[in-house]
């Protein structure tokens, strides 16, 4: 059961309702429920949730590619993107038809 965090959920839902694309950086101390907050927020929304790990750039890109390509079963790309720019451009194409929440958890591992 998810309890509390009403003001944070209200903020996220207000941003979600915006007609504009929004970038939200959520940060704070470890083990305070940031990931659970985001998971609860995403429950009833189209979303892609990617959890970064300490991998090389190529492995991280391959795993991220798999996650976003798996969202669209009609994708024309077989396996992986050749670079990060193409991966993020593809996300832009996906979100041109529908609103999608993209979550990149543990982002420092991606960079």
């Amino acid at each position: 059961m998810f309890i509390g965090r009403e003001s944070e959920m209200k903020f996220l839902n207000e941003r979600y309702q915006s007609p504009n694309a929004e970038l939200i950086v959520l940060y704070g101390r470890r083990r305070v429920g940031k990931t659970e907050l985001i998971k609860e927020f995403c429950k009833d929304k189209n979303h892609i949730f990617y959890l970064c790990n300490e991998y090389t750039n190529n492995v991280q890109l391959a795993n991220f590619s798999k996650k976003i390509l798996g969202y669209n079963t009609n994708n024309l790309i077989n396996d992986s993107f050749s670079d990060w720019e193409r991966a993020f451009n593809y996300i832009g194409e996906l979100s041109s038809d529908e609103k999608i929440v993209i979550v990149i958890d543990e982002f420092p591992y991606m960079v």
Side-chain angles (χ1 to χ4, degrees):
M1 182 189 317
F2 187 78
I3 300 173
R5 309 298 282 269
E6 288 86 8
S7 62
E8 292 93 338
M9 288 294 283
K10 180 180 182 224
F11 171 80
L12 291 172
N13 279 306
E14 286 171 352
R15 303 285 42 90
Y16 182 77
Q17 295 303 321
S18 167
N20 304 315
E22 301 276 345
L23 172 68
I24 299 169
V25 177
L26 179 63
Y27 65 95
R29 293 187 328 264
R30 296 187 60 74
R31 317 300 299 164
V32 296
K34 297 178 299 292
T35 298
E36 288 307 310
L37 171 67
I38 295 301
K39 286 182 178 179
E40 183 68 21
F41 168 73
C42 289
K43 272 187 179 176
D44 61 345
K45 297 166 183 70
N46 294 328
H47 69 280
I48 297 171
F49 189 98
Y50 179 68
L51 176 61
C52 299
N53 287 293
E54 291 187 80
Y55 295 132
T56 64
N57 183 59
N58 290 339
V59 172
Q60 194 82 259
L61 178 58
N63 290 344
F64 185 68
S65 296
K66 243 185 254 185
K67 188 62 116 170
I68 60 176
L69 289 169
Y71 177 82
N72 180 2
T73 57
N74 297 322
N75 77 66
L76 302 175
I77 300 167
N78 296 328
D79 191 22
S80 183
F81 295 99
S82 58
D83 58 51
W84 288 102
E85 185 175 355
R86 290 176 198 252
F88 283 104
N89 283 337
Y90 182 77
I91 290 172
E93 292 170 20
L94 280 177
S95 62
S96 67
D97 295 334
E98 61 180 328
K99 190 176 281 199
I100 304 171
V101 176
I102 308 296
V103 177
I104 302 174
D105 198 4
E106 297 294 347
F107 180 76
Y109 293 142
M110 184 178 271
V111 296

